[in-house]
Amino acid sequence: MLQLPAGFRFGMSTAAFQIEGAAALDGKGPSIWDTFTARPGTIRHGEDAAVAADHYHRYVEDVGHIAEAGTHDYRFSFSWPRVLPGGRGQVNGNGLDFYDRLVDELLTAGVRPVPTLYHWDLPQALEDEGGWMNRDTSYALADYAAVLVDRLGDRVRDWITLNEMNVQILYGYALTDHAPALGLGLGALPAAHHQLLAHGLAVQALRAGGAATVGVASQHFPVSPASDDPADVEAAALFAGLTNWTFSDPILLGEYPDPEFTASVPAGDLEIISAPLDFYGVNYYEPTRIEAPREGKDYHGVLEVDVPSGLPFSPVAVESDERTDFGWAIVPSGLTDILVTLRDRYPGLPPVVVTENGASFHDGGPGPDGRVHDPRRIAFLEAHLGAVAAAIDKGVDVRGYYVWSALDNFEWAAGYDERFGLVHVDRDTLDRTRKDSWFWFRDLIAGQPRS
Ligand code: IFM
């Protein structure tokens, strides 16, 4: 059995919008995702997350599934509009009470809560004032952080500010595949800066409230050129700069990869953004391959999302013998590569936690034996944990690995077909069934060296 160093933390991850449901209950306000999912044609099969996995009502059972696997850490996110329905101002006591109960349930079960403040579900009220294109939203997030740490800081010691800024900015601001679907192209860069500023301001608020450790969760992926052609190499570097380094350089180096952009941001912002962190979260799924667009070549349908024409780079399919049922290339070595790259790029990189990694396979519900057999998920997770071990062998300080996800949930624009969970959720009854991968994860944790 694979052995990680003593003290290595095994976790499971989820996000509020994807599991909670109770979309308009007990005073919760609408988020940009509630608005987006209500628009025809945005989500596969017209699905929405009004009920999702109904975790809001079933959290006690869900904590049981998490805890009984021996999971050390549970990463979940708060729904900002559940806590502050208007984004700022009036606090919704019912919303805070829910997270209070969840945290107590986790602690009683021996699981450490590792909440994320913001996992994409911006209050619609803030979007109406310009959302992340409006600098005020950064300050609103810091105020929201202060509300949470004030209420939960006596029990929650580890905090994550924002989840995958690059993914939200790319799909929701530059393109139109995710909420709020603005399609601004490179015009989305101010939204990126405001999310980074929000991160820095939230770090300040959390520390002022007594947080013991603070980190961020960033999606990173190795980017390679489709060929040695200098045009492809240049296109790949540009793409990597925009999607990876634009989001991590300001935090870890205090500058943007583009000196002109660095010079254009208000004085003092980068100091706030680059305040030291206690850990750096890396979410990894698959690498990306880029080429300089070829005259006359049709890129439509090459990837799950269509990248508009006219950009100086085009993502092309990664060659791989194996794919998840979501169509994503299975390349475990990409995780080792990106961890080593981050270590080499950032001499001051804090300890890393892999805050998400996992795969969607369509394994179906429980069979006649009552079990959900998902051997491909087990193989995927085993191979990626092996890639983490390889990075540790190369000297990267990786302290934990969280599976995405604890349970099957609402996979954004792809709806419910894509199932990432260790626990199966029946879409009709919402009954939970532990998959074989859940048992594998439990045995893996039990078999680790004692700390
Ligand atoms: O489901 C998402 C999650 O919300 C953010 N990271 C990637 C996961 C799989 O797409």
Side-chain angles (χ1 to χ4, degrees):
M1 179 184 290
L2 188 65
Q3 301 276 296
L4 277 299
F8 190 85
R9 300 194 69 82
F10 289 88
M12 298 185 191
S13 279
T14 62
F17 190 79
Q18 295 177 269
I19 62 167
E20 283 181 3
L25 213 67
D26 294 343
K28 178 185 166 288
S31 77
I32 55 174
W33 271 94
D34 292 303
T35 309
F36 183 68
T37 50
R39 245 170 55 200
T42 54
I43 311 295
R44 212 189 272 176
H45 311 311
E47 289 165 337
D48 62 37
V51 174
D54 196 29
H55 172 74
Y56 187 76
H57 295 112
R58 297 170 196 243
Y59 72 94
V60 173
E61 177 184 351
D62 291 341
V63 169
H65 293 303
I66 293 161
E68 286 162 31
T71 310
H72 305 130
D73 297 349
Y74 173 50
R75 174 179 174 239
F76 61 97
S77 78
F78 301 114
S79 158
W80 187 345
R82 193 180 294 290
V83 175
L84 290 161
R88 57 164 74 85
Q90 187 67 42
V91 172
N92 176 28
N94 292 331
L96 270 186
D97 288 350
F98 169 67
Y99 295 114
D100 206 274
R101 293 194 298 274
L102 174 62
V103 163
D104 284 346
E105 192 70 28
L106 287 163
L107 291 171
T108 304
V111 179
R112 188 185 284 181
V114 185
T116 303
L117 296 174
Y118 178 70
H119 194 124
W120 302 353
D121 46 354
L122 186 72
Q124 182 61 43
L126 294 183
E127 182 61 30
D128 295 342
E129 296 170 15
W132 287 111
M133 292 298 282
N134 179 351
R135 187 177 169 91
D136 291 348
T137 302
S138 314
Y139 293 89
L141 184 120
D143 293 345
Y144 158 62
V147 169
L148 288 164
V149 73
D150 181 51
R151 175 69 178 263
L152 301 171
D154 57 336
R155 284 155 292 154
V156 174
R157 41 160 303 181
D158 307 290
W159 298 76
I160 293 174
T161 57
L162 283 82
N163 177 71
E164 296 183 357
M165 296 180 232
N166 58 346
V167 176
Q168 179 161 62
I169 298 299
L170 178 64
Y171 293 135
Y173 286 77
L175 307 174
T176 56
D177 305 270
H178 281 187
L182 299 186
L184 300 173
L186 290 178
L189 278 172
H193 182 68
H194 295 148
Q195 288 207 347
L196 285 158
L197 180 62
H199 157 78
L201 293 167
V203 172
Q204 291 179 349
L206 292 170
R207 292 214 191 283
T213 81
V214 183
V216 64
S218 302
Q219 189 173 130
H220 280 290
F221 34 85
V223 178
S224 57
S227 79
D228 293 341
D229 182 332
D232 288 344
V233 173
E234 196 185 324
L238 184 65
F239 185 81
L242 277 170
T243 56
N244 273 302
W245 316 133
T246 291
F247 296 86
S248 48
D249 283 8
I251 295 176
L252 296 167
L253 296 176
E255 63 189 24
Y256 281 99
D258 177 352
E260 262 184 53
F261 196 61
T262 300
S264 74
V265 303
D269 281 11
L270 285 159
E271 283 71 31
I272 295 170
I273 294 168
S274 60
L277 295 177
D278 303 292
F279 62 96
Y280 188 77
V282 174
N283 298 355
Y284 171 76
Y285 290 90
E286 63 168 345
T288 303
R289 231 165 129 240
I290 295 292
E291 70 180 24
R294 305 284 191 262
E295 189 83 33
K297 177 168 170 184
D298 181 11
Y299 290 96
H300 178 80
V302 174
L303 292 181
E304 175 205 340
V305 258
D306 269 340
V307 178
S309 54
L311 289 173
F313 40 71
S314 282
V316 290
V318 172
E319 280 157 22
S320 169
D321 294 341
E322 288 180 294
R323 293 192 176 271
T324 71
D325 287 344
F326 206 170
W328 296 358
I330 301 180
V331 187
S333 61
L335 179 52
T336 313
D337 291 349
I338 196 66
L339 291 170
V340 169
T341 301
L342 288 166
R343 191 270 318 271
D344 293 347
R345 187 173 179 96
Y346 304 118
L349 183 70
V352 169
V353 175
V354 176
T355 35
E356 282 184 27
N357 177 241
S360 167
F361 291 111
H362 307 167
D363 295 303
D369 60 356
R371 304 278 300 249
V372 177
H373 300 297
D374 59 342
R376 292 176 298 165
R377 179 169 294 97
I378 295 173
F380 179 100
L381 297 175
E382 203 157 38
H384 285 77
L385 263 162
V388 171
I392 294 173
D393 282 348
K394 290 174 191 270
V396 186
D397 184 4
V398 189
R399 303 279 179 92
Y401 173 92
Y402 300 170
V403 175
W404 183 270
S405 177
L407 51 152
D408 290 342
N409 58 50
F410 180 76
E411 177 55 21
W412 308 110
Y416 294 102
D417 283 352
E418 302 306 339
R419 292 176 173 271
F420 284 83
L422 294 173
V423 174
H424 177 270
V425 177
D426 184 290
R427 283 312 313 152
D428 296 324
T429 62
L430 298 173
D431 286 348
R432 276 71 164 143
T433 306
R434 295 170 179 178
K435 301 181 187 176
D436 284 356
S437 55
W438 182 96
F439 293 96
W440 167 83
F441 197 53
R442 178 196 65 183
D443 294 347
L444 178 84
I445 297 170
Q448 296 303 303
R450 300 224 172 270
S451 43

